[in-house]
Amino acid sequence: MKKLLKISGIILLSLFLLLLVFPFLFKGKVKEVLMEQVNNNLNAKFDFKTLDLSLISNFPNLSIRVNDLYLSGVGKFEKDTLLKMNSFKMTVNLASALKMKDIEIRSIYLDAPVINAITLADSSVNWDIMKVDTTVVETASVDSAVDSSSSSFNVKLKKLKVIDGTVIYDDRSGDMYASLEGLDYNLSGDLAMDVSTLKMNAIVNKLVFKMEDIKYLSDAKVTIDAEVNADIINSVYTIISCSGSLNEILLQMTGFVAMPNDTDMVMDLKYATTKTDFKSVLSLIPAVYMTDFQDVKASGKITLDGFVKGTYNDLLMPSVGFKLLVENGMFRYPSLPKSADNINIDIDLYYDGVQADSTTLDINKFHVEMAGNPFDFQLSVRTPETDMQISTMLKGKIDLTSILDVIPLVDTKMSGLIICDIKAMGRMSTIENEKYEDFNAGGSLGIRAFSYISKDFPQGMEIKIMEMNFTPKLVELVQFDSKIGKSDMKLKGSISNFIPYVFTDAVLKGEFLFEAGLIDLNEFMADEESESTTASAQDVPVDTVPLELIEIPKNLDFKLTSTITKMLYDNFDITNTYGIIEIRDGKMLLTNLKMDMLKGSIIMDGVYNTQDMNNPLVDFTFQIKDFDIPSSYTTFNTIQKLAPIAQNCKGSFSCNLDYVSFLDAHMMPILNSIAGKGRLASKSIEIGNSETLKKLGDALKNDKFKNLVISDLDIQFEIKEGRIYIDPPLTAKFGSNSISMGGDQGLDQTMNYKVNLSMPRTEFGALGGELVNSMMGAVAKQGVQLNVSDMINLDVIVGGTFSKPEIKLGMPDMKSTSTVIKDQVEQKVKAEVMKKVDDTKVKAKAEADRMIKIAEEQAERLRAEARIAAEQVRKESYTAADKLVKEQKNPIAKKAAEITADKIKKEGDKKASAVISEGDSKADGLVAKAKSEAAKLLK
């Protein structure tokens, strides 16, 4: 017996050791298969920290655990994590795992997964990572191979569990954001069966939903408990029971969802609330506005029900019904003296997914009395697609001081009176056809003595008075007098096309006069920007503060004539601002916008264009007068890149500049895209501590260049292809001496300049004595004696970079200030030069220059013609795209047409770019060929 027990113990111990050791034998193979499957099917970056195998925890099944897993996109999404989680645990059938074929998955556990789904403005998505199957093409044998390989996994899932998950959906094309935090999800059933009963429950601790900067749900709690009959073969899922909650609102749902094919989803769902007390509706109000919810006293009844029925695919939407009825609702905080009473709401929405024009919306009643102040709103919408008919009413009187007696707004103070009485009724066609007499609309909105201050808005806001009058044609802003923090502003004008803008997203038009005594922009800067501006202007350039790219709305057409006495931004003042600002078709246009700043003045004309948010650009003309150089350098990052020598300069300058560049995501110019042409002038500039001038002074043995004052500076320059060209060479004076300079410098700080200095011989100091003395000796042999006051012309080549300049001196040329000596020297030098001149080379040089000039003129014509042709291609594609959208009346067809239109426009842009590229290529080839031929002539 003892022997039997001993043998049994040995066997059990051996089996136990085998269970421990066995997984390690296959660990490498499992990792190899996992990485192979991912790499074969996904176009993404995938990795994990460790992989564990176990036979003990779920014997006789094999447990696979992958720790610290992550999945990220490629290309434009390579910095965005699509999926990450603490661990992924999967239980599989051991026998199938040993075969490495038809692997049966029994359960899946996800620990703290984070899913981050992103849709960019161009509609590209980060989850589109499946590789295209290019193997299914020719023969049946290939097809069968694909079929067999695709069945590597055979899902017989019985359990799926998610613990503490997070799901984020960021749709930047539709300006929509949603997130689920603290997601716990359980699914149980047998997916291996043709028909199975699935049980699922889920809890979301924080649900956020935001669209177009309006937060509809904030940290809402969601629960779902459902039992579903799953016909997996036919993809029909019928709800046996389903209950859930959204905060305190309890809902039940019945119906089914079917997926008969790869494109359609058919559904017939009904829902209704099971909790009828009014307080449950209040639970949807974010906690910041509804604090101490449990202590609120409330009464009244609600009825909420609806349905979703129909087919969902790329062309169709299901029909949706929604009804909400609130009867005699009220709520009151025990700690506050007043209540909200007589809350009666009756909303009925029907969206027709087949015939969108049959959609109706009725807000039959929306009545509330806040601390005795009544407010009413009604709205009815019919035939929204063909010719929208609306009827609306807004009437009320709100004493904002009494709001604080009803709702406890922490760290908030407000007061003032809002009075509104607005009515509108008619068809949209009457507005569009300017038959305003057939559209019944009118009313007014007024604000008196409004004041608001809070923890998040400490500077506060005041509106002394605002009066708006409504007519079918115009919304007239009679007067608006306000103050935000230290900034005061007045506004008056009118808005047209208001009703089509509200109901059909048409273009809103307006024209205003804006006046301000003081605008303090520093009060509106973010915290991190404020921290940046605490440093001195010597340390932090204003335009290095990170900004976000601002998109100009395409459905606004506003004209703003502005007069601002003073603006404060960072450490400098802007005064006497006047000009016209227009917002139109995704662009901001400035016309004769003048302002005094940096001890001078500037006039700007141009456009900030965000029609293509992937390539926003600015195209401006500047007229700058007497700008202070040190202030300009510390203020503008662009000047630091274009003219770093300005850091060591004192004085002022004037400049006319035509400037074009693309912008990055922080509204900073993309330096290599800058193109411009202009002229800069200054009466006097002092340059000190310049590394370039220091090296020049060292070469000339002259300390004068350590602190140089240049007068009568006049520079004509051009910016293109990342370099600044000075042409023709500038001329200026320093003291009684003169300087000329031509060449170019790069935005990469490299220099390529040729400088000519004209100075008395005595100012060259101890220039080795060799260059000057050798020239003096040569002149003396010709019978000419030079005085100490004779002028020397010296060519200097300046290269390297601004931080590490390279100086090369040429041979000096001398001219006597004495007229007689001057003539003698000129005659002798001219005679010597003429003896050495090669007539053939002179003629060749002239012919070479002529060839290049002709080629460059032809090249410019080619480039211009290419751009005209490209603009025509782009115009035709945009016209065709807009026509396609305009012809669609059904909203679903219209949405599909918009997608197609975007593709047409992108294709047009692509073709236009190709035309320009081809034209530039031909032009460059023409010039290159001419230069090559010219080089042959000069050999």
Side-chain angles (χ1 to χ4, degrees):
M1 186 66 180
K2 291 182 178 180
K3 187 175 182 180
L4 179 61
L5 291 174
K6 185 176 182 180
I7 293 172
S8 300
I10 292 173
I11 292 173
L12 290 174
L13 179 61
S14 299
L15 287 172
F16 182 72
L17 291 175
L18 181 62
L19 293 176
L20 290 176
V21 174
F22 181 82
F24 294 97
L25 301 177
F26 291 89
K27 187 174 182 178
K29 183 62 176 177
V30 172
K31 182 176 182 180
E32 179 183 336
V33 171
L34 177 60
M35 295 301 295
E36 180 182 355
Q37 288 292 328
V38 171
N39 291 327
N40 286 343
N41 292 282
L42 301 183
N43 186 25
K45 295 180 181 178
F46 172 77
D47 203 356
F48 53 87
K49 189 173 183 181
T50 60
L51 184 146
D52 300 324
L53 302 179
S54 174
L55 277 171
I56 297 177
S57 58
N58 289 282
F59 185 80
N61 296 315
L62 175 65
S63 294
I64 304 172
R65 181 187 178 99
V66 181
N67 300 305
D68 295 330
L69 175 150
Y70 84 90
L71 182 69
S72 63
V74 295
K76 65 179 72 175
F77 296 108
E78 63 181 349
K79 295 182 180 180
D80 297 315
T81 300
L82 174 59
L83 170 67
K84 67 177 181 178
M85 66 181 76
N86 290 346
S87 65
F88 171 90
K89 184 178 179 182
M90 180 169 61
T91 302
V92 301
N93 178 274
L94 178 59
S96 67
L98 290 174
K99 296 176 184 178
M100 289 298 170
K101 185 178 180 181
D102 294 331
I103 300 174
E104 298 179 5
I105 304 173
R106 298 297 181 87
S107 64
I108 295 176
Y109 292 85
L110 309 180
D111 181 18
V114 177
I115 300 173
N116 186 27
I118 300 173
T119 301
L120 296 181
D122 61 3
S123 298
S124 57
V125 297
N126 69 335
W127 63 85
D128 186 15
I129 58 175
M130 292 297 297
K131 289 184 177 179
V132 178
D133 188 355
T134 59
T135 62
V136 187
V137 284
E138 295 181 3
T139 66
S141 60
V142 174
D143 292 338
S144 61
V146 172
D147 291 340
S148 63
S149 64
S150 63
S151 60
S152 298
F153 289 93
N154 183 11
V155 179
K156 293 187 177 180
L157 187 65
K158 290 189 176 182
K159 190 171 186 179
L160 172 64
K161 187 170 185 177
V162 179
I163 302 173
D164 193 22
T166 299
V167 179
I168 298 172
Y169 177 64
D170 186 359
D171 185 352
R172 298 169 192 174
S173 64
D175 198 7
M176 182 174 69
Y177 176 90
S179 67
L180 290 75
E181 295 183 30
L183 168 64
D184 292 334
Y185 177 81
N186 287 280
L187 171 66
S188 60
D190 195 344
L191 294 179
M193 299 177 63
D194 293 345
V195 179
S196 176
T197 298
L198 304 179
K199 294 183 179 180
M200 64 185 75
N201 62 74
I203 297 175
V204 178
N205 288 305
K206 291 183 180 180
L207 169 63
V208 173
F209 180 75
K210 182 172 65 173
M211 181 178 286
E212 296 181 351
D213 295 327
I214 298 176
K215 188 175 286 188
Y216 293 93
L217 292 173
S218 177
D219 295 344
K221 185 173 182 178
V222 179
T223 65
I224 298 174
D225 194 350
E227 187 173 351
V228 177
N229 179 273
D231 182 349
I232 297 173
I233 296 297
N234 298 306
S235 296
V236 178
Y237 303 90
T238 304
I239 297 174
I240 299 172
S241 65
C242 179
S243 61
S245 66
L246 179 61
N247 284 349
E248 296 294 319
I249 293 182
L250 303 182
L251 294 170
Q252 284 189 340
M253 182 177 291
T254 59
F256 72 90
V257 175
M259 290 174 282
N261 50 54
D262 293 337
T263 59
D264 294 340
M265 180 182 292
V266 180
M267 60 192 74
D268 186 356
L269 303 171
K270 295 180 181 179
Y271 62 90
T273 183
T274 59
K275 193 173 183 180
T276 60
D277 60 296
F278 172 65
K279 190 173 182 180
S280 63
V281 175
L282 298 179
S283 69
L284 295 181
I285 300 176
V288 67
Y289 303 115
M290 187 60 72
T291 58
D292 301 325
F293 176 75
Q294 298 301 326
D295 296 331
V296 174
K297 295 181 179 180
S299 64
K301 293 183 179 182
I302 70 163
T303 302
L304 172 64
D305 58 61
F307 66 86
V308 180
K309 184 177 182 179
T311 301
Y312 172 79
N313 55 34
D314 291 339
L315 298 177
L316 294 175
M317 292 284 289
S319 297
V320 177
F322 174 86
K323 291 184 179 182
L324 172 65
L325 184 65
V326 176
E327 298 178 287
N328 300 319
M330 68 81 61
F331 69 88
R332 179 176 179 177
Y333 281 86
S335 59
L336 295 177
K338 297 180 181 179
S339 61
D341 302 294
N342 294 327
I343 301 173
N344 289 277
I345 302 172
D346 184 358
I347 299 176
D348 192 344
L349 166 66
Y350 170 69
Y351 170 75
D352 193 322
V354 179
Q355 296 291 334
D357 202 42
S358 298
T359 298
T360 61
L361 170 62
D362 291 298
I363 302 178
N364 299 308
K365 181 181 291 187
F366 190 102
H367 176 84
V368 61
E369 296 176 12
M370 299 284 285
N373 295 303
F375 179 84
D376 287 278
F377 173 60
Q378 292 178 353
L379 174 65
S380 176
V381 178
R382 296 290 185 275
T383 58
E385 288 296 303
T386 54
D387 186 7
M388 183 182 294
Q389 181 177 356
I390 64 170
S391 176
T392 185
M393 180 274 291
L394 185 68
K395 186 175 183 178
K397 177 181 179 182
I398 302 175
D399 183 351
L400 295 176
T401 305
S402 65
I403 297 293
L404 299 177
D405 293 333
V406 178
I407 302 175
L409 299 178
V410 181
D411 298 322
T412 300
K413 296 180 179 178
M414 64 179 179
S415 61
L417 189 65
I418 299 177
I419 304 173
C420 63
D421 187 358
I422 303 169
K423 292 181 180 180
M425 183 173 66
R427 291 188 176 275
M428 199 62 62
S429 59
T430 61
I431 300 293
E432 295 170 349
N433 296 323
E434 299 183 359
K435 296 181 179 180
Y436 303 111
E437 67 277 5
D438 295 333
F439 194 96
N440 183 17
S444 63
L445 171 65
I447 299 178
R448 303 285 188 276
F450 172 81
S451 176
Y452 177 85
I453 188 170
S454 69
K455 182 179 180 181
D456 297 327
F457 193 56
Q459 62 266 43
M461 177 179 183
E462 298 178 10
I463 300 178
K464 297 178 182 178
I465 187 171
M466 186 195 80
E467 291 184 8
M468 297 179 72
N469 293 328
F470 294 82
T471 67
K473 184 178 181 179
L474 292 174
V475 176
E476 183 183 10
L477 180 61
V478 180
Q479 57 180 329
F480 178 83
D481 190 349
S482 70
K483 187 174 183 180
I484 303 177
K486 300 175 184 176
S487 305
D488 62 275
M489 56 195 73
K490 295 180 180 180
L491 192 68
K492 64 179 180 179
S494 62
I495 299 173
S496 59
N497 217 37
F498 177 76
I499 295 175
Y501 170 78
V502 172
F503 290 99
T504 65
D505 200 30
V507 175
L508 183 67
K509 300 180 180 181
E511 188 168 348
F512 296 94
L513 295 176
F514 176 80
E515 296 181 9
L518 172 66
I519 299 293
D520 188 351
L521 298 175
N522 294 325
E523 288 190 305
F524 304 100
M525 296 171 71
D527 292 339
E528 61 269 21
E529 295 173 0
S530 299
E531 292 173 3
S532 298
T533 57
T534 57
S536 68
Q538 300 292 328
D539 299 325
V540 183
V542 169
D543 65 350
T544 61
V545 175
L547 300 173
E548 291 295 328
L549 194 64
I550 300 173
E551 182 175 7
I552 305 300
K554 294 182 176 63
N555 59 346
L556 293 184
D557 186 352
F558 274 28
K559 182 179 180 181
L560 189 69
T561 303
S562 303
T563 303
I564 305 172
T565 304
K566 185 175 183 178
M567 281 194 294
L568 302 177
Y569 182 43
D570 198 70
N571 292 327
F572 66 95
D573 297 349
I574 302 172
T575 59
N576 302 322
T577 299
Y578 177 80
I580 297 174
I581 303 173
E582 294 178 89
I583 295 174
R584 182 171 63 247
D585 194 26
K587 298 181 289 186
M588 176 183 290
L589 300 97
L590 307 182
T591 303
N592 200 34
L593 186 65
K594 181 184 180 300
M595 57 185 70
D596 296 335
M597 58 186 291
L598 302 175
K599 302 180 182 179
S601 64
I602 181 172
I603 298 175
M604 293 184 290
D605 290 272
V607 59
Y608 165 59
N609 190 333
T610 64
Q611 290 177 323
D612 181 0
M613 281 296 287
N614 292 321
N615 296 289
L617 63 86
V618 290
D619 185 351
F620 283 111
T621 297
F622 299 95
Q623 299 178 50
I624 298 171
K625 183 178 180 181
D626 297 332
F627 263 22
D628 179 62
I629 296 177
S631 301
S632 301
Y633 179 86
T634 56
T635 300
F636 299 113
N637 176 272
T638 306
I639 290 182
Q640 296 181 13
K641 297 294 184 180
L642 297 178
I645 196 173
Q647 182 180 14
N648 307 301
C649 294
K650 296 180 181 179
S652 62
F653 72 94
S654 298
C655 179
N656 292 334
L657 171 63
D658 295 329
Y659 174 96
V660 178
S661 80
F662 289 108
L663 302 177
D664 64 18
H666 300 293
M667 291 192 72
M668 296 295 293
I670 299 174
L671 295 178
N672 288 334
S673 73
I674 295 176
K677 183 180 291 187
R679 186 166 191 165
L680 184 146
S682 177
K683 294 180 179 179
S684 178
I685 293 178
E686 181 180 347
I687 308 174
N689 197 30
S690 165
E691 193 66 29
T692 302
L693 293 180
K694 180 181 177 182
K695 281 209 170 185
L696 178 60
D698 292 342
L700 297 176
K701 309 298 182 185
N702 189 328
D703 292 339
K704 175 181 290 189
F705 289 91
K706 291 182 179 179
N707 191 45
L708 193 65
V709 178
I710 298 179
S711 57
D712 299 328
L713 185 66
D714 189 355
I715 305 174
Q716 295 184 53
F717 62 90
E718 184 175 4
I719 309 170
K720 60 181 180 180
E721 299 176 351
R723 300 196 72 80
I724 304 173
Y725 296 87
I726 296 178
D727 186 30
L730 66 88
T731 58
K733 295 181 180 180
F734 58 102
S736 59
N737 309 319
S738 63
I739 181 174
S740 67
M741 183 178 76
D744 60 89
Q745 68 183 57
L747 299 176
D748 58 358
Q749 309 293 290
T750 59
M751 295 183 291
N752 180 28
Y753 284 117
K754 182 178 180 181
V755 181
N756 181 270
L757 300 173
S758 180
M759 301 188 304
R761 177 165 57 89
T762 54
E763 294 194 15
F764 279 85
L767 182 57
E770 296 180 1
L771 292 176
V772 177
N773 292 334
S774 63
M775 180 59 75
M776 289 177 63
V779 174
K781 290 179 182 180
Q782 301 178 37
V784 178
Q785 295 295 325
L786 298 179
N787 300 321
V788 294
S789 60
D790 292 331
M791 303 296 290
I792 297 177
N793 289 338
L794 182 68
D795 287 333
V796 181
I797 302 300
V798 181
T801 65
F802 284 99
S803 58
K804 293 183 179 180
E806 297 174 359
I807 304 295
K808 294 181 181 179
L809 302 178
M811 286 295 293
D813 179 27
M814 299 183 178
K815 293 184 179 180
S816 171
T817 54
S818 168
T819 303
V820 176
I821 299 299
K822 176 181 177 182
D823 292 340
Q824 293 178 357
V825 173
E826 286 182 350
Q827 291 173 6
K828 292 181 181 294
V829 171
K830 183 176 180 180
E832 292 295 327
V833 171
M834 290 303 295
K835 289 178 183 179
K836 298 178 181 180
V837 171
D838 188 335
D839 291 339
T840 303
K841 287 188 176 182
V842 171
K843 294 178 180 179
K845 180 65 168 60
E847 178 61 20
D849 290 343
R850 188 185 70 83
M851 290 172 59
I852 293 174
K853 183 177 180 181
I854 293 174
E856 288 178 341
E857 290 174 351
Q858 292 175 344
E860 285 301 315
R861 285 198 296 272
L862 281 175
R863 291 189 179 97
E865 290 169 359
R867 279 155 177 77
I868 293 171
E871 183 59 31
Q872 183 63 28
V873 170
R874 183 181 287 108
K875 183 178 180 181
E876 289 175 357
S877 65
Y878 274 55
T879 301
D882 293 338
K883 181 180 179 182
L884 178 64
V885 175
K886 189 175 181 180
E887 289 175 347
Q888 306 305 318
K889 299 300 181 181
N890 185 289
I892 297 172
K894 196 178 193 74
K895 188 66 177 178
E898 288 174 349
I899 295 174
T900 304
D902 286 341
K903 292 181 180 178
I904 293 174
K905 290 181 178 180
K906 289 177 181 178
E907 186 64 24
D909 291 339
K910 185 177 179 180
K911 289 180 180 178
S913 298
V915 171
I916 293 174
S917 178
E918 183 181 358
D920 289 345
S921 178
K922 289 181 179 179
D924 293 340
L926 192 64
V927 174
K929 182 178 179 181
K931 289 183 177 180
S932 176
E933 295 295 329
K936 292 178 182 179
L937 285 175
L938 296 175
K939 286 184 179 180

